[in-house]
Amino acid sequence: MARRSSEFYPRQISPESTISIGKESVFCSKNHLTKIFHAFQEMKTNDELCDIVLRAGNVSFSAHLLVIAASSQYFRDKAADKTKELILSLDLKADSVKLMIDYFYSGILAVNLDNAEDLLHAACTMKVS
């Protein structure tokens, strides 16, 4: 019988640790998620394996649907359409869309007095929490 993930990966595993569960050992890497997202960022920069194009006005952005859908309920809902191109609301500014996409890949968002309102609008439209 296959184990459920909650049985195989107990919550008490700390980063960079190995524990024994019966005859099995489980290793947890503290850097795994960071490495994965660095790889996603690199692939996005190189336009590798991007599977969706987002259009904000006359500006296009390539992205990985998995990354943006995991970061935004709006994109997760749109993923069901299996579209390869998504034209965003006309009232979303391209600069704000780019910053939000960068945030999805990095977890870093540069907010200042000039872009705060537009970013808030983009985050609300994209259903980012």
Side-chain angles (χ1 to χ4, degrees), residues 23-42:
K23 295 180 181 179
E24 298 175 333
S25 292
V26 178
F27 174 74
C28 180
S29 170
K30 69 178 180 180
N31 297 320
H32 180 74
L33 293 177
T34 302
K35 288 177 185 178
I36 295 295
F37 268 87
H38 281 285
F40 275 131
Q41 288 172 327
E42 184 178 318

Side-chain angles (χ1 to χ4, degrees), residues 8-129:
F8 192 74
Y9 301 109
R11 296 189 189 280
Q12 65 267 23
I13 296 176
S14 60
E16 291 297 335
S17 65
T18 303
I19 65 165
S20 295
I21 302 174
K23 295 180 181 179
E24 298 175 333
S25 292
V26 178
F27 174 74
C28 180
S29 170
K30 69 178 180 180
N31 297 320
H32 180 74
L33 293 177
T34 302
K35 288 177 185 178
I36 295 295
F37 268 87
H38 281 285
F40 275 131
Q41 288 172 327
E42 184 178 318
M43 288 188 294
K44 181 182 166 299
T45 299
N46 297 328
D47 204 22
E48 293 177 61
L49 303 175
C50 292
D51 53 0
I52 191 162
V53 174
L54 306 175
R55 296 204 187 280
N58 61 355
V59 182
S60 299
F61 304 97
S62 295
H64 299 95
L65 184 57
L66 182 65
V67 173
I68 64 172
S71 303
S72 159
Q73 187 62 47
Y74 173 82
F75 292 120
R76 192 172 187 165
D77 294 342
K78 293 291 183 182
D81 298 343
K82 301 191 189 293
T83 185
K84 297 293 180 192
E85 180 177 85
L86 185 57
I87 299 171
L88 300 172
S89 175
L90 293 175
D91 62 344
L92 289 178
K93 294 185 177 178
D95 291 343
S96 296
V97 171
K98 181 187 182 324
L99 288 172
M100 291 303 299
I101 293 169
D102 290 346
Y103 170 72
F104 296 159
Y105 281 84
S106 69
I108 299 168
L109 184 62
V111 182
N112 58 51
L113 290 175
D114 295 328
N115 68 13
E117 188 174 331
D118 293 331
L119 283 173
L120 179 60
H121 176 64
C124 289
T125 300
M126 294 177 186
K127 299 179 184 174
V128 177
S129 54

